[in-house]
Amino acid sequence: MRTDRRGKYLALPLDDGQVLVIHLRMSGQLLFVAEPKSVRKAPHTHVVMGFDDGSELRFVDPRTFGEWYVTEDVRPDGLPVEFDRFGPDPLVDGISAKLLAERLGHKKTAIKVALTDQRVIAGIGSIYADEICHRARVRPDRRCDSLTEAELRAVSRATTSILRAAVARRGSSLKDASYRDLMGELGEYQHDHRVYNRAGEACDRCGAPIERIAIGARTAYCCLGCQA
Ligand SMILES: [Zn+2]
């Protein structure tokens, strides 16, 4: 079965031309089970999709914010038409400094708010926005339109490298362990977090304490010692 992704949405084309769309949201886990008879269903298993070879894809979602739906409105590239609303996906479309400047360089909002707005750029959540800003030495509450060309270049490079590294380490599993990969294993990128969820710890780069700051109703982790 072919699988695709844009931003935080998965797209699985079905034989009849429709596309199954899945979003894990807060606590959703997709688990592939090769031998369903030998693996008990976890509590909160809400969807089970069986394949011709007897294997299963199970969807476990304790908080039930996850989404599964099928659509027949499909673009020529096989993805749902509604994906048009998303900004570029850094790992699929690339995110150059020029593109970043076009997408958010004029905005008056904080850089973290813009980075996590799926219409601006698709696929970045709170953890990775904080890590990107730290890597790029930019405060997450900096107004986008105050960023210099050099800072936009740093943010675009950090976006690509942080997301690539996080995918290579199969994502970030936090203390609640709600995120698991397709095989049910915990991700490992949480061990590489430099600022996220580390308030009070020393910054690896400059030694200043990591802080948790407010950006409107949201929060961000950053180092005020080396992020300007
Ligand atoms: Zn620092």
Side-chain angles (χ1 to χ4, degrees):
M1 183 174 209
R2 192 167 81 87
T3 58
D4 210 334
R5 179 196 61 77
R6 283 298 180 283
K8 301 177 181 181
Y9 282 85
L10 302 172
L12 288 71
L14 304 176
D15 291 343
D16 63 2
Q18 300 188 99
V19 178
L20 170 64
V21 180
I22 301 173
H23 194 306
L24 305 178
R25 295 289 172 196
M26 302 295 287
S27 60
Q29 298 172 10
L30 273 182
L31 301 173
F32 178 74
V33 182
E35 306 274 352
K37 283 199 188 74
S38 59
V39 182
R40 281 180 55 163
K41 279 196 192 74
H44 310 292
T45 299
H46 296 298
V47 183
V48 175
M49 190 162 80
F51 296 107
D52 290 343
D53 67 358
S55 61
E56 287 180 355
L57 187 63
R58 297 178 184 174
F59 186 58
V60 181
D61 190 11
R63 296 175 69 180
T64 65
F65 289 115
E67 293 176 55
W68 276 59
Y69 62 89
V70 171
T71 179
E72 55 186 14
D73 293 325
V74 177
R75 308 192 302 210
D77 65 359
L79 295 173
V81 170
E82 64 196 45
F83 281 18
D84 282 351
R85 72 182 189 275
F86 298 141
D89 181 305
L91 296 183
V92 177
D93 310 302
I95 188 81
S96 65
K98 184 167 171 283
L99 185 58
L100 199 66
E102 282 168 19
R103 305 291 308 180
L104 55 73
H106 59 285
K107 289 187 176 294
K108 294 177 170 50
T109 53
I111 177 75
K112 176 169 184 177
V113 173
L115 285 174
T116 53
D117 182 341
Q118 304 302 301
R119 296 163 301 182
V120 178
I121 299 171
I124 302 174
S126 190
I127 296 174
Y128 300 117
D130 287 358
E131 295 298 323
I132 288 165
C133 289
H134 181 259
R135 174 77 61 91
R137 296 173 183 257
V138 167
R139 282 177 62 138
D141 58 352
R142 271 281 294 283
R143 256 175 64 158
C144 293
D145 62 2
S146 76
L147 296 173
T148 64
E149 238 175 76
E151 286 171 332
L152 285 167
R153 264 200 308 279
V155 172
S156 77
R157 277 199 303 267
T159 299
T160 308
S161 60
I162 295 280
L163 292 181
R164 277 194 189 140
V167 170
R169 297 270 265 156
R170 297 174 299 100
S172 301
S173 296
L174 304 180
K175 280 206 181 68
D176 63 3
S178 69
Y179 171 72
R180 303 223 167 215
D181 72 7
L182 194 59
M183 300 303 162
E185 303 291 330
L186 294 171
E188 292 183 326
Y189 193 69
Q190 66 277 12
H191 303 304
D192 294 348
H193 291 173
R194 294 287 184 264
V195 284
Y196 185 80
N197 221 4
R198 294 186 58 177
E201 295 180 37
C203 170
D204 293 343
R205 194 162 53 200
C206 77
I210 307 296
E211 301 195 34
R212 185 166 179 261
I213 63 169
I215 305 177
R218 307 207 236 167
T219 60
Y221 295 91
C222 62
C223 171
L224 302 182
C226 62
Q227 292 175 254

Coordinates of all heavy atoms in Angstrom, one line a residue, residues 141-218:
D141 N 9.7 34.3 20.4 CA 8.8 35.3 20.4 C 9.2 36.5 19.5 O 8.5 37.6 19.6 CB 8.5 35.8 21.8 CG 9.7 36.3 22.6 OD1 10.8 36.1 22.1 OD2 9.6 36.8 23.7
R142 N 10.3 36.4 18.8 CA 10.7 37.5 17.8 C 9.6 37.7 16.8 O 9.1 36.7 16.2 CB 12.0 37.1 17.2 CG 13.2 37.5 17.9 CD 13.6 39.0 17.7 NE 14.0 39.3 16.4 CZ 15.1 39.1 15.8 NH1 16.1 38.5 16.5 NH2 15.4 39.4 14.6
R143 N 9.3 38.9 16.5 CA 8.4 39.2 15.4 C 9.0 38.8 14.1 O 10.2 39.1 13.8 CB 8.0 40.7 15.4 CG 6.6 40.9 15.9 CD 6.3 42.4 16.0 NE 6.3 43.0 14.7 CZ 5.7 44.2 14.4 NH1 5.0 44.8 15.4 NH2 5.7 44.7 13.2
C144 N 8.3 38.1 13.2 CA 8.8 37.6 11.9 C 9.4 38.8 11.1 O 10.5 38.6 10.5 CB 7.7 37.0 11.1 SG 7.1 35.4 11.8
D145 N 8.7 39.9 11.1 CA 9.2 41.0 10.2 C 10.4 41.7 10.8 O 10.9 42.6 10.2 CB 8.1 42.0 9.9 CG 7.5 42.7 11.1 OD1 8.0 42.4 12.2 OD2 6.6 43.4 11.0
S146 N 10.9 41.2 11.9 CA 12.2 41.8 12.5 C 13.4 40.9 12.2 O 14.5 41.3 12.5 CB 12.1 42.0 14.0 OG 12.2 40.7 14.7
L147 N 13.1 39.8 11.5 CA 14.2 38.8 11.3 C 15.1 39.3 10.1 O 14.6 39.8 9.1 CB 13.7 37.4 11.0 CG 13.0 36.7 12.1 CD1 12.3 35.5 11.6 CD2 13.9 36.5 13.3
T148 N 16.4 39.3 10.3 CA 17.3 39.7 9.2 C 17.4 38.5 8.2 O 17.0 37.4 8.4 CB 18.7 39.9 9.7 OG1 19.2 38.7 10.3 CG2 18.7 41.0 10.8
E149 N 18.0 38.9 7.0 CA 18.2 37.8 6.0 C 19.0 36.7 6.6 O 18.7 35.5 6.3 CB 19.0 38.5 4.8 CG 18.2 38.3 3.5 CD 18.9 39.1 2.4 OE1 19.9 38.5 1.9 OE2 18.5 40.2 2.1
A150 N 20.1 37.0 7.3 CA 20.9 36.0 7.9 C 20.1 35.1 8.9 O 20.3 33.9 8.9 CB 22.1 36.6 8.6
E151 N 19.2 35.7 9.6 CA 18.4 34.9 10.6 C 17.4 34.0 9.9 O 17.2 32.9 10.3 CB 17.7 35.9 11.6 CG 18.7 36.5 12.6 CD 18.1 37.5 13.5 OE1 17.1 38.3 13.0 OE2 18.5 37.7 14.6
L152 N 16.8 34.6 8.8 CA 15.9 33.7 8.0 C 16.7 32.5 7.4 O 16.1 31.4 7.4 CB 15.3 34.6 6.9 CG 14.2 35.5 7.4 CD1 13.8 36.5 6.3 CD2 12.9 34.7 7.8
R153 N 17.9 32.8 7.0 CA 18.7 31.7 6.4 C 19.0 30.6 7.5 O 18.9 29.4 7.3 CB 20.1 32.2 5.9 CG 20.1 32.4 4.4 CD 21.5 32.4 3.9 NE 22.4 33.3 4.6 CZ 22.5 34.6 4.4 NH1 21.7 35.2 3.5 NH2 23.3 35.4 5.2
A154 N 19.3 31.1 8.7 CA 19.5 30.2 9.9 C 18.3 29.4 10.2 O 18.3 28.2 10.5 CB 20.0 31.0 11.1
V155 N 17.1 30.1 10.2 CA 15.9 29.4 10.5 C 15.6 28.3 9.4 O 15.1 27.2 9.7 CB 14.7 30.3 10.6 CG1 13.3 29.6 10.8 CG2 14.9 31.3 11.8
S156 N 15.8 28.6 8.2 CA 15.5 27.7 7.1 C 16.4 26.5 7.2 O 16.0 25.3 7.1 CB 15.6 28.3 5.7 OG 16.9 28.5 5.3
R157 N 17.7 26.7 7.5 CA 18.6 25.6 7.6 C 18.3 24.7 8.8 O 18.3 23.5 8.8 CB 20.1 26.1 7.8 CG 20.8 26.4 6.5 CD 22.3 26.4 6.7 NE 22.7 27.4 7.7 CZ 23.0 28.7 7.5 NH1 23.1 29.1 6.2 NH2 23.4 29.5 8.4
A158 N 17.9 25.4 10.0 CA 17.6 24.7 11.2 C 16.3 23.9 11.0 O 16.2 22.7 11.5 CB 17.4 25.7 12.3
T159 N 15.3 24.4 10.2 CA 14.1 23.7 10.0 C 14.4 22.3 9.3 O 13.9 21.3 9.8 CB 13.1 24.5 9.1 OG1 12.8 25.7 9.8 CG2 11.8 23.8 8.8
T160 N 15.2 22.4 8.3 CA 15.5 21.1 7.5 C 16.2 20.2 8.4 O 15.9 19.0 8.5 CB 16.2 21.5 6.3 OG1 15.5 22.5 5.5 CG2 16.4 20.3 5.4
S161 N 17.3 20.7 9.1 CA 18.1 19.7 9.8 C 17.4 19.1 11.0 O 17.5 18.0 11.3 CB 19.5 20.4 10.2 OG 19.2 21.5 11.0
I162 N 16.6 20.0 11.8 CA 15.9 19.4 12.9 C 14.9 18.4 12.5 O 14.8 17.3 13.1 CB 15.2 20.6 13.7 CG1 16.2 21.6 14.3 CG2 14.2 20.0 14.8 CD1 16.9 21.2 15.6
L163 N 14.1 18.7 11.5 CA 13.1 17.8 11.1 C 13.7 16.5 10.5 O 13.2 15.4 10.8 CB 12.1 18.4 10.0 CG 11.2 19.5 10.5 CD1 10.4 20.0 9.3 CD2 10.4 19.1 11.7
R164 N 14.8 16.6 9.8 CA 15.4 15.4 9.3 C 15.9 14.5 10.4 O 15.8 13.3 10.4 CB 16.6 15.7 8.3 CG 16.1 16.0 6.9 CD 17.3 16.0 6.0 NE 17.0 16.5 4.7 CZ 17.7 17.3 3.9 NH1 18.9 17.7 4.4 NH2 17.2 17.7 2.8
A165 N 16.6 15.2 11.4 CA 17.1 14.4 12.5 C 16.0 13.8 13.3 O 16.1 12.6 13.8 CB 18.0 15.3 13.4
A166 N 14.9 14.5 13.5 CA 13.8 13.9 14.3 C 13.2 12.7 13.6 O 12.8 11.7 14.3 CB 12.7 15.0 14.5
V167 N 13.0 12.8 12.3 CA 12.5 11.6 11.6 C 13.5 10.5 11.6 O 13.1 9.3 11.9 CB 12.2 12.0 10.1 CG1 11.9 10.7 9.3 CG2 11.0 13.0 10.0
A168 N 14.8 10.7 11.5 CA 15.8 9.7 11.6 C 15.7 9.0 12.9 O 16.0 7.8 13.1 CB 17.2 10.2 11.3
R169 N 15.4 9.7 14.0 CA 15.3 9.2 15.4 C 13.9 8.7 15.7 O 13.6 8.5 16.8 CB 15.8 10.2 16.4 CG 17.3 10.6 16.2 CD 18.2 9.7 17.0 NE 18.5 10.3 18.3 CZ 18.9 9.6 19.3 NH1 19.0 8.3 19.3 NH2 19.2 10.2 20.5
R170 N 13.0 8.7 14.7 CA 11.6 8.2 14.8 C 10.8 9.0 15.8 O 10.0 8.5 16.6 CB 11.6 6.7 15.2 CG 12.3 5.8 14.1 CD 12.4 4.4 14.5 NE 13.3 4.3 15.7 CZ 12.8 4.2 17.0 NH1 11.6 4.1 17.2 NH2 13.7 4.2 18.0
G171 N 11.0 10.3 15.8 CA 10.1 11.2 16.6 C 10.5 11.3 18.0 O 11.5 10.8 18.5
S172 N 9.6 12.1 18.7 CA 9.9 12.4 20.2 C 8.8 11.8 21.0 O 7.6 12.1 20.8 CB 9.9 13.9 20.4 OG 10.8 14.6 19.6
S173 N 9.2 10.9 21.9 CA 8.2 10.4 22.9 C 8.4 11.1 24.2 O 9.5 11.0 24.8 CB 8.4 8.9 23.0 OG 8.1 8.2 21.8
L174 N 7.4 11.7 24.7 CA 7.5 12.4 26.0 C 7.2 11.5 27.1 O 7.0 10.3 27.0 CB 6.7 13.7 26.0 CG 6.9 14.6 24.8 CD1 6.0 15.8 24.8 CD2 8.4 15.0 24.7
K175 N 7.1 12.1 28.4 CA 7.0 11.2 29.5 C 5.7 10.4 29.5 O 5.7 9.2 30.0 CB 6.9 12.1 30.8 CG 8.3 12.5 31.3 CD 8.3 12.8 32.8 CE 9.7 13.3 33.2 NZ 10.0 14.6 32.7
D176 N 4.6 10.9 28.8 CA 3.4 10.1 28.8 C 3.5 8.9 27.8 O 2.6 8.1 27.8 CB 2.2 11.0 28.4 CG 2.3 11.6 27.0 OD1 3.3 11.3 26.3 OD2 1.4 12.4 26.7
A177 N 4.6 8.9 27.0 CA 4.8 7.8 26.1 C 3.7 7.6 25.1 O 3.5 6.5 24.6 CB 5.1 6.5 26.8
S178 N 2.9 8.6 24.9 CA 1.8 8.4 24.0 C 2.2 8.3 22.5 O 1.5 7.7 21.7 CB 0.7 9.6 24.2 OG 1.3 10.8 23.7
Y179 N 3.4 8.9 22.2 CA 3.8 8.8 20.8 C 4.7 7.5 20.7 O 5.6 7.3 21.4 CB 4.7 10.0 20.3 CG 5.3 9.7 19.0 CD1 4.5 9.6 17.9 CD2 6.6 9.3 18.9 CE1 5.0 9.2 16.7 CE2 7.2 8.9 17.7 CZ 6.4 8.9 16.6 OH 6.9 8.5 15.4
R180 N 4.3 6.6 19.8 CA 5.0 5.4 19.4 C 5.1 5.4 17.9 O 4.3 5.9 17.2 CB 4.3 4.2 19.9 CG 4.1 4.3 21.4 CD 4.4 3.0 22.1 NE 4.4 3.2 23.5 CZ 5.3 2.5 24.3 NH1 6.1 1.6 23.8 NH2 5.3 2.7 25.6
D181 N 6.1 4.7 17.4 CA 6.2 4.5 16.0 C 5.3 3.4 15.5 O 4.6 2.8 16.3 CB 7.7 4.4 15.5 CG 8.3 3.0 15.9 OD1 7.6 2.1 16.3 OD2 9.5 2.9 15.6
L182 N 5.4 3.1 14.2 CA 4.4 2.2 13.6 C 4.6 0.8 14.2 O 3.7 0.0 14.2 CB 4.7 2.1 12.1 CG 3.7 1.4 11.2 CD1 2.3 2.1 11.3 CD2 4.1 1.4 9.7
M183 N 5.8 0.5 14.7 CA 6.1 -0.9 15.3 C 5.9 -0.9 16.8 O 6.2 -1.8 17.5 CB 7.5 -1.3 15.0 CG 7.8 -1.4 13.5 SD 6.6 -2.5 12.7 CE 6.8 -2.1 11.0
G184 N 5.4 0.3 17.3 CA 5.1 0.3 18.8 C 6.2 0.7 19.6 O 6.2 0.7 20.9
E185 N 7.3 1.1 19.0 CA 8.5 1.5 19.8 C 8.5 3.0 20.1 O 8.0 3.8 19.3 CB 9.8 1.2 18.9 CG 10.0 -0.2 18.5 CD 10.2 -1.2 19.7 OE1 10.9 -0.7 20.7 OE2 9.8 -2.3 19.6
L186 N 9.1 3.4 21.2 CA 9.2 4.8 21.5 C 10.2 5.5 20.6 O 11.2 4.9 20.1 CB 9.8 5.0 23.0 CG 8.9 4.5 24.1 CD1 9.6 4.5 25.4 CD2 7.6 5.3 24.2
G187 N 10.0 6.7 20.3 CA 10.9 7.5 19.5 C 12.1 7.9 20.3 O 12.1 7.6 21.6
E188 N 13.2 8.4 19.7 CA 14.4 8.7 20.5 C 14.8 10.2 20.4 O 15.8 10.5 21.0 CB 15.5 7.8 20.0 CG 15.3 6.3 20.3 CD 16.4 5.4 19.9 OE1 17.0 5.7 18.8 OE2 16.7 4.5 20.6
Y189 N 14.1 11.0 19.6 CA 14.6 12.3 19.4 C 14.5 13.2 20.7 O 15.2 14.2 20.9 CB 13.9 13.0 18.3 CG 14.6 14.3 17.9 CD1 15.8 14.3 17.3 CD2 14.0 15.5 18.1 CE1 16.5 15.4 16.9 CE2 14.7 16.7 17.8 CZ 15.9 16.6 17.2 OH 16.6 17.8 16.9
Q190 N 13.6 12.7 21.7 CA 13.5 13.5 22.9 C 14.9 13.6 23.6 O 15.1 14.5 24.4 CB 12.5 12.9 23.9 CG 12.8 11.5 24.4 CD 12.4 10.4 23.4 OE1 12.1 10.6 22.3 NE2 12.4 9.2 23.9
H191 N 15.8 12.6 23.4 CA 17.1 12.7 24.0 C 18.0 13.8 23.4 O 19.0 14.2 23.9 CB 17.8 11.3 23.9 CG 17.0 10.2 24.5 ND1 16.6 10.2 25.8 CD2 16.6 9.0 23.9 CE1 15.9 9.1 26.0 NE2 15.9 8.4 24.9
D192 N 17.6 14.3 22.2 CA 18.3 15.3 21.5 C 17.7 16.7 21.7 O 18.2 17.7 21.2 CB 18.4 15.0 20.0 CG 19.2 13.8 19.7 OD1 19.9 13.3 20.7 OD2 19.2 13.3 18.6
H193 N 16.6 16.8 22.4 CA 16.0 18.1 22.7 C 17.0 19.0 23.4 O 17.6 18.6 24.4 CB 14.7 18.0 23.5 CG 13.6 17.4 22.8 ND1 12.4 17.0 23.4 CD2 13.5 17.0 21.5 CE1 11.6 16.5 22.5 NE2 12.2 16.4 21.3
R194 N 17.2 20.2 22.9 CA 18.1 21.2 23.5 C 17.3 22.1 24.5 O 17.9 22.6 25.4 CB 18.8 22.0 22.4 CG 19.7 21.2 21.6 CD 21.0 20.8 22.4 NE 21.9 20.1 21.5 CZ 22.0 18.8 21.5 NH1 21.2 18.0 22.2 NH2 22.9 18.2 20.7
V195 N 16.1 22.4 24.1 CA 15.3 23.4 25.0 C 13.9 22.8 25.4 O 13.5 23.1 26.5 CB 15.1 24.7 24.3 CG1 16.4 25.6 24.3 CG2 14.6 24.6 22.9
Y196 N 13.3 22.1 24.5 CA 11.9 21.7 24.8 C 11.8 20.9 26.1 O 12.5 19.9 26.3 CB 11.3 20.9 23.7 CG 9.8 20.6 23.9 CD1 8.9 21.6 23.6 CD2 9.4 19.4 24.5 CE1 7.5 21.4 23.9 CE2 8.0 19.2 24.8 CZ 7.1 20.2 24.4 OH 5.8 20.0 24.7
N197 N 10.9 21.4 27.0 CA 10.6 20.7 28.3 C 11.9 20.7 29.2 O 12.0 19.8 30.0 CB 10.1 19.3 28.0 CG 9.0 18.9 29.0 OD1 8.5 19.8 29.8 ND2 8.5 17.7 28.9
R198 N 12.8 21.6 29.1 CA 14.0 21.6 29.8 C 14.2 22.9 30.7 O 15.4 23.2 31.0 CB 15.2 21.4 28.9 CG 15.2 20.0 28.2 CD 16.5 19.8 27.4 NE 17.7 19.9 28.3 CZ 18.9 19.7 27.8 NH1 19.1 19.4 26.6 NH2 19.9 19.8 28.6
A199 N 13.1 23.5 31.1 CA 13.2 24.7 31.8 C 14.1 24.5 33.1 O 13.9 23.5 33.8 CB 11.8 25.2 32.2
G200 N 15.0 25.4 33.3 CA 15.9 25.3 34.5 C 17.2 24.6 34.3 O 18.2 24.8 35.0
E201 N 17.2 23.8 33.2 CA 18.5 23.1 32.9 C 19.4 24.1 32.2 O 19.0 25.1 31.6 CB 18.2 21.9 32.0 CG 17.5 20.8 32.7 CD 17.2 19.6 31.8 OE1 18.1 19.3 31.0 OE2 16.1 19.0 31.9
A202 N 20.7 23.8 32.1 CA 21.7 24.7 31.5 C 21.7 24.5 30.0 O 21.6 23.3 29.5 CB 23.1 24.4 32.0
C203 N 21.7 25.6 29.2 CA 21.8 25.5 27.8 C 23.1 24.8 27.4 O 24.2 25.1 27.9 CB 21.7 26.9 27.2 SG 22.1 27.0 25.4
D204 N 23.0 23.8 26.5 CA 24.2 23.1 26.0 C 25.2 24.0 25.3 O 26.4 23.7 25.3 CB 23.9 22.0 25.0 CG 23.1 20.9 25.7 OD1 23.1 20.8 27.0 OD2 22.4 20.1 25.0
R205 N 24.7 25.1 24.8 CA 25.6 26.0 24.0 C 26.2 27.1 24.8 O 27.4 27.4 24.6 CB 24.7 26.6 22.8 CG 25.6 27.2 21.7 CD 24.7 27.4 20.5 NE 23.5 28.1 20.7 CZ 22.4 28.1 19.9 NH1 22.5 27.3 18.8 NH2 21.4 28.7 20.2
C206 N 25.5 27.7 25.7 CA 26.1 28.8 26.4 C 26.0 28.7 28.0 O 26.6 29.5 28.7 CB 25.4 30.1 26.0 SG 23.7 30.3 26.7
G207 N 25.3 27.7 28.5 CA 25.3 27.5 29.9 C 24.2 28.2 30.7 O 23.9 28.0 31.8
A208 N 23.5 29.2 30.0 CA 22.5 29.9 30.7 C 21.3 29.0 30.9 O 21.1 28.0 30.2 CB 22.0 31.1 29.8
P209 N 20.4 29.3 31.9 CA 19.3 28.4 32.1 C 18.2 28.5 31.0 O 17.9 29.6 30.6 CB 18.7 28.9 33.5 CG 19.2 30.3 33.6 CD 20.5 30.4 32.9
I210 N 17.7 27.4 30.7 CA 16.6 27.3 29.7 C 15.3 27.9 30.4 O 15.1 27.6 31.6 CB 16.3 25.9 29.2 CG1 17.5 25.2 28.7 CG2 15.1 25.9 28.2 CD1 18.1 25.8 27.5
E211 N 14.6 28.7 29.7 CA 13.4 29.3 30.2 C 12.1 28.9 29.5 O 12.2 28.6 28.3 CB 13.5 30.9 30.2 CG 14.7 31.3 31.0 CD 14.7 32.8 31.4 OE1 13.6 33.3 31.6 OE2 15.8 33.4 31.4
R212 N 11.0 29.0 30.2 CA 9.7 28.8 29.6 C 9.1 30.1 29.5 O 8.8 30.7 30.6 CB 8.9 27.8 30.4 CG 7.6 27.4 29.9 CD 7.1 26.2 30.7 NE 5.8 25.7 30.2 CZ 4.7 26.0 30.8 NH1 4.6 26.8 31.8 NH2 3.5 25.5 30.3
I213 N 8.8 30.6 28.3 CA 8.3 32.0 28.2 C 6.8 31.9 27.6 O 6.5 30.9 27.0 CB 9.1 32.9 27.3 CG1 9.2 32.3 25.9 CG2 10.5 33.0 27.9 CD1 9.8 33.3 24.9
A214 N 6.1 33.0 27.8 CA 4.7 33.0 27.3 C 4.8 33.8 25.9 O 5.5 34.8 25.8 CB 3.8 33.7 28.2
I215 N 4.0 33.2 25.0 CA 3.8 34.0 23.7 C 2.3 34.0 23.5 O 1.7 33.0 23.1 CB 4.4 33.2 22.5 CG1 5.9 33.0 22.8 CG2 4.2 34.1 21.2 CD1 6.6 32.2 21.7
G216 N 1.6 35.1 24.0 CA 0.2 35.1 24.0 C -0.3 34.0 24.9 O 0.2 33.9 26.1
A217 N -1.2 33.2 24.5 CA -1.7 32.1 25.3 C -0.8 30.9 25.3 O -1.1 29.9 26.0 CB -3.1 31.7 24.8
R218 N 0.2 30.9 24.5 CA 1.0 29.7 24.3 C 2.4 29.9 25.1 O 2.7 31.0 25.6 CB 1.4 29.5 22.9 CG 0.1 29.5 22.0 CD 0.3 28.7 20.9 NE 0.0 29.4 19.6 CZ 0.4 28.9 18.5 NH1 1.1 27.8 18.4 NH2 0.0 29.6 17.4

